[in-house]
Amino acid sequence: MRRKLLLGNWKMNKLASEAKEFALQSKALIQKAKENNVDMGVAPTYLSLQAVKENASKDMIVAAQNVHFKESGAFTGEVSIPMLKELGLDWVIIGHSERRTYDNETNEKCHLKMEALLANDMVPVYCVGETLAQFEAGQTKEVVKEQVEVGLRGLDLSKLSRLVVAYEPVWSIGTGKNASTEIAQDVCKFIRDVMRELLGDVADEIRILYGGSVKPENIRAYLSCPDVDGALVGGASLKIESYEGLLNNIL
Ligand code: 13P
């Protein structure tokens, strides 16, 4: 049985002081999520990770938005896994489409990052999804299959049950143009089938999220799809009221 998961991706938003305030305000909500068997968390910027970790409920998932695959070295501007672990963090988003677009995050690079994360018993949230042009050209499954295969092939099978995959069609991110629930279910099921072929039965334990213009008003429909185990939410995770609405509307 896969537990439901709601993860807010704050992207480049919130000062550390604002992130701390949110963490404090979210305590009762995270408790409510726990009581209802929902895992819930946020991915703040690097500079706010410590403030959130220290002030949130211990049951809140606190994820970084990126990490380097090397432990240390001459990589100006980067942050390593041991640096995150020192703060008590276990979760990292990998391969978000904004990083793929603006920071040259390739499938191969994602693979190296996930390999390093699993070796350190951490949880990668691996984002996949097609662009508008690829969607319109009917290439969604081809693109997603390659992202899954290159990203996940050869990873340590014994640790893969902790992996989370997020299907985020690029054309639906921040646009208000939601993928229909039929598309979300179809692609998430496809991802599970590709993973089953590649990795075996562990595919049934891996949680798959939908992301792209998820709001309190539409989250329930996505989570009623059998292969959608949760949501990765940008804009609607920034205000405590709508973050709360996301949870309340799936209970
Ligand atoms: P929005 O929910 O703002 O569309 O963002 C989705 C996203 O990119 C989450 O990672």
Side-chain angles (χ1 to χ4, degrees), residues 9 11 96 98 168 172-175 211-214 232-236:
N9 175 9
K11 310 189 179 184
H96 191 279
E98 287 144 18
E168 299 204 304
S172 76
I173 294 178
T175 59
S213 299
V214 174
L232 184 57
V233 186

Side-chain angles (χ1 to χ4, degrees), residues 46 66-69 75-80 83 99 113:
Y46 282 140
N66 180 35
V67 76
H68 199 278
F69 52 87
F75 300 102
T76 302
E78 296 287 345
V79 164
S80 73
M83 293 169 190
R99 294 202 55 80
K113 291 179 180 196

Side-chain angles (χ1 to χ4, degrees), residues 10-11 17-18 23 28 67 90 100 102 106 108 110 116 126 131-132 138 140 164 168 170 173 205 208 232 234 247:
W10 286 351
K11 310 189 179 184
S17 51
E18 295 165 337
V67 76
D90 301 320
R100 289 179 186 267
Y102 307 128
T106 59
E108 289 76 13
C110 291
Y126 180 41
T131 62
L132 180 60
T140 299
V164 175
E168 299 204 304
V170 180
I173 294 178
E205 294 173 56
I208 303 179
L232 184 57
L247 176 69

